């Protein structure tokens, strides 16, 4: 029997649905709703793979990513998020994530994220084929600056020289992924 797969997400409905789908595919699945539960599961069961939500209620998935890697350096972690951006993807990979997926993701997407080799660019479109829209570029820049200020909206607004409420409205309006 293979080592278990750890799922960490604060959305209980999504977490249980994904766990059920993975179990149907023959996976042994452990679940955790927050950082403390994830660390406890890691110590008790020694999973070899983990799927980690980027935005846990009250916790940063990026910080948990580092803690998990400190305790289990061989653990392969796929970051899963409903608010994907280039800035957070780059930061997650820099901190040791094996792969990065945007929600909604199926059990098949999750399993293939662990098997796809890093650095495979043949399937990725080049920048000249699909240029990003101005709205998307602005969104990516805001996300990068927000990441630099550890999610502090007020500090980000000051850095971008915009009103805090304007920034909040922009953060709520995610551009169509391109």
């Amino acid at each position: 029997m293979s080592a278990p797969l750890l799922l960490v997400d604060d959305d209980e409905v999504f977490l249980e649905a994904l766990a059920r789908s993975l179990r149907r595919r023959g996976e042994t699945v452990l679940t955790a709703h927050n950082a403390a539960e994830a660390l406890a599961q890691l110590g008790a069961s020694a999973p070899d793979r983990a799927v980690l939500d980027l935005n846990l209620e009250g916790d940063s998935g990026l910080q948990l990513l580092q803690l998990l890697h400190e305790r289990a350096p061989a653990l392969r972690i796929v970051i899963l998020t409903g608010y994907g951006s280039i800035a957070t993807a780059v930061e997650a990979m820099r901190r040791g994530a094996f792969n990065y997926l945007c929600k909604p993701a199926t059990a098949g997407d999750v399993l293939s994220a662990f098997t796809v080799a890093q650095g495979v660019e043949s399937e990725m479109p080049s920048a000249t084929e699909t240029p990003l829209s101005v709205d998307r570029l602005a969104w990516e820049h805001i996300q990068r600056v927000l990441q630099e200020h550890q999610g502090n909206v007020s500090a980000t607004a000051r850095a971008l020289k915009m009103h805090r409420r304007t920034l909040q409205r922009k953060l709520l309006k995610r551009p169509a992924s391109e």
Side-chain angles (χ1 to χ4, degrees):
M1 186 175 224
S2 68
L5 169 67
L6 175 62
L7 296 179
V8 185
D9 200 312
D10 58 348
D11 181 347
E12 291 183 36
V13 174
F14 176 78
L15 181 68
E16 292 308 316
L18 184 57
R20 240 185 342 269
S21 292
L22 288 165
R23 286 182 184 118
R24 277 190 222 121
R25 291 174 175 251
E27 293 291 329
T28 303
V29 179
L30 306 168
T31 60
H33 297 96
N34 55 44
E37 287 179 23
L39 293 171
Q41 289 281 18
L42 181 68
S45 303
D48 65 346
R49 298 163 296 161
V51 177
L52 176 59
D53 188 14
L54 188 64
N55 191 11
L56 296 169
E57 189 173 296
D59 293 319
S60 165
L62 291 176
Q63 289 175 344
L64 180 56
L65 170 68
Q66 284 187 291
L67 288 172
L68 291 172
H69 266 299
E70 287 171 9
R71 296 186 184 187
L75 183 68
R76 290 180 295 159
I77 300 173
V78 170
I79 295 292
L80 184 62
T81 183
Y83 303 98
S85 74
I86 292 171
T88 55
V90 168
E91 185 63 21
M93 299 305 263
R94 189 182 68 73
R95 292 187 187 204
F98 184 77
N99 213 328
Y100 185 94
L101 292 174
C102 291
K103 290 180 182 176
T106 65
D109 295 336
V110 169
L111 293 175
S112 57
F114 285 109
T115 58
V116 172
Q118 287 181 309
V120 175
E121 297 178 18
S122 61
E123 298 174 17
M124 302 274 301
S126 72
T128 57
E129 291 176 25
T130 55
L132 296 175
S133 70
V134 173
D135 288 338
R136 185 65 187 193
L137 287 172
W139 169 259
E140 296 296 338
H141 179 67
I142 288 170
Q143 291 299 313
R144 184 178 52 77
V145 175
L146 185 64
Q147 184 71 30
E148 289 171 1
H149 290 90
Q150 289 82 34
N152 184 322
V153 175
S154 296
T156 302
R158 282 191 297 274
L160 293 171
K161 295 178 177 43
M162 71 172 52
H163 194 275
R164 185 177 187 277
R165 292 177 75 94
T166 302
L167 176 59
Q168 287 175 316
R169 280 193 299 276
K170 286 183 179 283
L171 289 170
L172 290 173
K173 294 181 184 175
R174 288 184 45 212
S177 58
E178 297 177 24

